[in-house]
């Protein structure tokens, strides 16, 4: 019988741990961590993600600031705000919610963030440090996935892990973390140009699906007893929900789950862990800054 990996529950436990630490900081007369989020435009998914991130901050006792720009904001204005946040001593960490409108360079925006305030772990300095195993802010989703393996006691050492997708924010960094000492998986990354994806995925002890293509992973692609981590979160219109849409993963859950040892649901699997990773990075940033000041 397969086990559901309950990201929602684990994330809630971690938020309690963080809230206790924040209460400790507060009672010691120290500043509470402060996370800022920049949201450009009104993409529905981004609105929801950022609203949830602000809510998480409230729950653990962090201060949070939401900064909004219209879809037509010019790049220099956005870069100016980033510079302001870099220099604001009250801000411990901040994020710029992606995707950005096409006229803005994500690369320039990410490179403008002070690596020490990079709560998303997207800056090349943090990515570089992660690659060679130095302490860094880890990209939120890969960090959350690694934590799920740890908290569920899922063995990764020597396992064949296939990552589907090579994005800078999920596929590529999670492939690096899982191959590092301590995690010790044998990792294969497959992508849009890979030949015979199904044959490769079928060899996997651990599958991480991160392409944003609903139902891409079918039962024929999954080995009996595999661990399946579904990072997909595509909004599909639905008459079943009040919001008029539902989040859909990259895995055909109903058909695939019976073949698995463990599987993450969508929603309630990886998503809450991504959010909690952001809190962990912000807490780390705040602690480092309080040592420096
Ligand atoms: N868009 C999708 N996932 C993320 C994330 O983890 N951080 C940011 N900033 N944008 C995203």
């Amino acid at each position: 019988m397969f086990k559901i990996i309950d990201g929602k529950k684990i994330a809630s436990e971690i938020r309690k741990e963080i809230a206790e630490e924040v209460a400790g900081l507060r009672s010691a007369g120290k500043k509470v961590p402060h996370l800022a989020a920049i949201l450009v435009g009104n993409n529905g998914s981004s609105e929801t993600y950022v609203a949830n991130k602000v809510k998480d901050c409230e729950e653990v006792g962090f201060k949070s600031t939401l900064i909004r720009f219209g879809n037509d904001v010019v790049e220099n204005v956005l870069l100016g705000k980033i510079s302001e946040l870099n220099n604001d001593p009250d801000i411990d960490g901040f994020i710029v919610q992606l995707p950005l409108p096409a006229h803005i360079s994500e690369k320039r925006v990410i490179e403008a963030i002070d690596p020490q305030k990079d709560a998303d772990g997207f800056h090349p300095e943090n990515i570089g440090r992660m690659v060679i195993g130095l302490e860094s802010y880890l990209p939120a989703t890969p960090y959350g996935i690694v934590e799920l393996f740890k908290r569920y006691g899922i063995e990764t050492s020597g396992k064949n892990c296939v990552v589907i997708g090579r994005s800078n924010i999920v596929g590529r960094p999670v492939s690096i973390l899982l191959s590092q000492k301590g995690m010790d998986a044998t990792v294969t990354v497959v992508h849009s140009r890979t030949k015979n994806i199904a044959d490769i995925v079928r060899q996997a002890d651990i599958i991480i699906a991160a392409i944003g293509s609903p139902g891409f992973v079918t039962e024929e692609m999954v080995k009996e007893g595999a661990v399946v981590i579904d990072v997909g979160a595509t909004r599909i219109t639905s008459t079943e929900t009040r919001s008029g849409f539902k989040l859909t993963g990259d895995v055909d859950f109903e058909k695939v789950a019976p073949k698995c040892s463990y599987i993450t649901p969508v929603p309630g699997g990886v998503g809450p862990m991504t959010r909690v990773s952001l809190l962990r990075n912000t807490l780390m940033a705040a602690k480092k800054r309080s040592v420096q000041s």
Side-chain angles (χ1 to χ4, degrees):
M1 187 54 192
F2 67 92
K3 292 202 180 81
I4 300 259
I5 298 180
D6 190 343
K8 196 170 165 198
K9 177 169 139 253
I10 301 288
S12 163
E13 285 168 16
I14 296 174
R15 282 198 301 277
K16 283 206 190 80
E17 294 163 17
I18 294 173
E20 279 168 25
E21 274 207 53
V22 175
L25 290 174
R26 198 191 286 275
S27 60
K30 296 208 175 117
K31 173 183 165 315
V32 298
H34 185 178
L35 174 71
I38 299 181
L39 175 59
V40 180
N42 46 16
N43 172 297
S45 301
S46 294
E47 294 265 359
T48 309
Y49 288 146
V50 170
N52 284 332
K53 288 169 185 177
V54 168
K55 187 170 93 49
D56 288 346
C57 284
E58 276 166 24
E59 187 185 320
V60 300
F62 285 7
K63 201 169 153 189
S64 69
T65 300
L66 171 59
I67 300 148
R68 300 192 67 131
F69 289 105
N71 213 44
D72 55 356
V73 65
V74 293
E75 191 176 291
N76 271 341
V77 171
L78 186 55
L79 293 174
K81 178 51 83 175
I82 290 172
S83 165
E84 216 179 277
L85 295 174
N86 284 341
N87 293 310
D88 183 341
D90 199 58
I91 301 285
D92 297 296
F94 66 96
I95 64 156
V96 180
Q97 186 65 31
L98 304 178
L100 291 168
H103 68 279
I104 293 177
S105 157
E106 278 184 7
K107 176 177 163 292
R108 275 198 288 275
V109 164
I110 290 170
E111 283 185 324
I113 298 171
D114 177 347
Q116 302 204 33
K117 293 192 176 188
D118 175 28
D120 258 331
F122 289 171
H123 189 283
E125 184 174 313
N126 283 313
I127 300 287
R129 292 179 65 89
M130 175 196 75
V131 170
I132 57 175
L134 296 176
E135 189 184 69
S136 66
Y137 299 106
L138 296 176
T141 300
Y143 191 11
I145 293 171
V146 166
E147 193 62 24
L148 284 178
F149 287 135
K150 289 190 177 155
R151 298 227 176 192
Y152 272 85
I154 294 171
E155 184 62 83
T156 51
S157 177
K159 301 291 180 189
N160 284 333
C161 174
V162 174
V163 177
I164 310 174
R166 53 180 164 178
S167 71
N168 285 344
I169 66 177
V170 185
R172 175 99 48 217
V174 82
S175 74
I176 292 164
L177 289 178
L178 287 172
S179 69
Q180 277 172 335
K181 269 205 192 317
M183 300 304 286
D184 299 308
T186 304
V187 182
T188 305
V189 180
V190 300
H191 48 75
S192 53
R193 297 285 185 272
T194 301
K195 298 202 171 74
N196 304 326
I197 285 194
D199 291 341
I200 298 169
V201 176
R202 232 183 331 266
Q203 310 292 317
D205 303 308
I206 299 170
I207 299 168
I208 300 184
I211 41 171
S213 174
F216 181 88
V217 177
T218 55
E219 61 184 311
E220 301 78 34
M221 294 165 76
V222 178
K223 181 168 85 174
E224 203 65 48
V227 175
V228 174
I229 307 293
D230 189 351
V231 185
T234 308
R235 275 182 167 209
I236 295 205
T237 48
S238 165
T239 50
E240 294 162 32
T241 59
R242 255 194 306 156
S243 60
F245 66 85
K246 67 175 183 188
L247 280 188
T248 310
D250 288 347
V251 177
D252 181 350
F253 185 91
E254 296 303 323
K255 300 255 178 60
V256 168
K259 295 185 85 174
C260 299
S261 53
Y262 289 93
I263 185 166
T264 61
V266 177
V270 172
M273 295 301 293
T274 296
R275 283 159 51 191
V276 96
S277 301
L278 186 64
L279 299 176
R280 296 175 85 188
N281 280 343
T282 306
L283 180 60
M284 180 163 107
K287 284 189 189 160
K288 283 183 180 247
R289 286 169 57 72
S290 80
V291 172
Q292 284 161 1
S293 61

